[in-house]
Amino acid sequence: MKVVILAGGYGTRLSEQTSVVPKPLVEIGGRPILWHIMKLYSHYGLNEFVICCGYKGTVIKDYFMSYLSHQGDFTLDLQRNRIEMHRNGSEPWQVTLVDTGERTMTGGRLKRVREHLGNSTFCMTYGDGVSDVDIRALIKFHHQQGALATVTAVQLPGRFGAINLSSDRPRAAGFREKDASDGQVINGGFFVVEPQSLDLIDDDSTSWENEPLARLTEQDQLAVYRHRGYWQNMDTLRDKAILQDLWDTGDPPWCVWNKGGAANGSTKISHPAIADRATI
């Protein structure tokens, strides 16, 4: 199963960092947050990635072009134009990098990479959030529900679009902006998507979080997987500092690949919307 990562937004609330590198390459513990996200999926055996580039996309491409040489030892024969690798410490990843445009919205980015996805179910997430979500359980839940798309819901107060819960079934019920005091759950990303869902995306100006998810909700085709474990996005310098502090403890909660087991704490529920992520 392939994993699509939206990595093309401007990251304006991290401008101190993103004036130099795109948001997905802002580092936590000396590694880009994009690397942390990919490590989570790789922990569950998903190693094929399609990365939707946009703002400073060439920097992301350069990062992966040099990844092998940075992770291993090699002899470079300049006269014969030949490289001999001695130790390959890189990940078992197959990475497709696609320029999806600087101003393209999230839905438009998905539509632009459709040719790289085939006709199979795929995972999708944003390039700015980490979690200990159990990807294997998420995919299993999606197939059990038989919906066209599944979104992971997490609880967090604040500025995100709220998820209204259905009382009896794990389906989306409607969208609204979140009131910081109402304690509702939010769209935490980590989607599982059937390729037919991409037919609901009109063009580059379409935000995945708006029209497509609303249409899926109307069709009773948006399932919601409740994650009760760790989740944190990196939207501001404060968020980055929180993640770095956790990394410095030596036991960051999202690094399930270092724990020898699967992530914890997930059940069910229903509904999302997130205007903040429309250009990621």
Side-chain angles (χ1 to χ4, degrees):
M1 184 179 291
K2 294 184 177 181
V3 181
V4 178
I5 302 179
L6 300 176
Y10 288 98
T12 53
R13 280 175 286 205
L14 265 173
S15 58
E16 295 89 343
Q17 301 276 318
T18 57
S19 61
V20 180
V21 297
K23 189 176 183 182
L25 291 190
V26 173
E27 293 187 349
I28 303 298
R31 298 277 194 172
I33 193 169
L34 178 60
W35 179 90
H36 292 267
I37 296 166
M38 295 170 73
K39 285 287 286 186
L40 172 66
Y41 282 102
S42 187
H43 175 69
Y44 291 101
L46 279 67
N47 292 305
E48 292 187 64
F49 297 93
V50 178
I51 299 180
C52 302
C53 301
Y55 173 69
K56 291 189 180 293
T58 55
V59 183
I60 297 177
K61 291 180 179 180
D62 289 344
Y63 171 78
F64 284 102
M65 286 295 291
S66 59
Y67 191 87
L68 184 62
S69 62
H70 287 177
Q71 300 302 313
D73 299 333
F74 60 91
T75 297
L76 180 61
D77 188 330
L78 298 177
Q79 185 175 18
R80 295 180 176 84
N81 192 27
R82 197 166 58 192
I83 299 176
E84 179 185 355
M85 299 299 301
H86 302 298
R87 179 184 62 84
N88 184 356
S90 62
E91 309 294 340
W93 297 341
Q94 178 179 314
V95 186
T96 300
L97 297 126
V98 182
D99 182 0
T100 56
E102 282 202 13
R103 299 184 179 277
T104 307
M105 304 299 275
T106 49
R109 296 193 191 282
L110 285 174
K111 198 174 187 71
R112 286 204 186 196
V113 300
R114 184 169 191 168
E115 65 181 289
H116 300 284
L117 302 176
N119 295 314
S120 300
T121 307
F122 64 92
C123 290
M124 185 273 282
T125 194
Y126 306 102
D128 68 347
V130 292
S131 176
D132 64 356
V133 60
D134 187 332
I135 300 297
R136 185 183 300 113
L138 168 61
I139 294 170
K140 180 179 179 181
F141 175 84
H142 171 77
H143 289 309
Q144 288 173 339
Q145 291 301 311
L148 289 179
T150 296
V151 60
T152 298
V154 298
Q155 189 155 351
L156 188 78
R159 59 194 177 277
F160 300 95
I163 298 178
N164 295 325
L165 310 186
S166 295
S167 59
D168 56 347
R169 301 172 61 240
R171 285 292 190 275
F175 292 137
R176 64 185 172 81
E177 286 303 304
K178 180 175 172 54
D179 185 316
S181 65
D182 67 8
Q184 287 289 335
V185 292
I186 64 166
N187 167 8
F190 298 99
F191 291 85
V192 184
V193 184
E194 299 300 324
Q196 302 96 296
S197 298
L198 303 185
D199 294 335
L200 301 175
I201 300 171
D202 295 328
D203 52 35
D204 284 357
S205 65
T206 303
S207 296
W208 169 249
E209 300 75 18
N210 294 328
E211 297 92 341
L213 290 191
R215 292 170 186 170
L216 286 168
T217 299
E218 292 167 1
Q219 298 170 13
D220 195 32
Q221 287 295 324
L222 181 62
V224 184
Y225 179 83
R226 179 69 177 269
H227 175 60
R228 300 182 185 277
Y230 182 79
W231 180 91
Q232 176 67 53
N233 74 318
M234 189 184 66
D235 200 39
T236 65
L237 284 175
R238 178 180 178 275
D239 297 331
K240 181 183 183 300
I242 289 171
L243 292 171
Q244 184 62 54
D245 287 345
L246 286 170
W247 177 271
D248 291 341
T249 67
D251 187 27
W254 67 88
C255 293
V256 297
W257 55 91
N258 287 335
K259 302 178 187 299
N264 57 16
S266 303
T267 54
K268 311 177 185 177
I269 72 155
S270 269
H271 179 180
I274 256 196
D276 297 57
R277 295 187 166 206
T279 57
I280 288 178

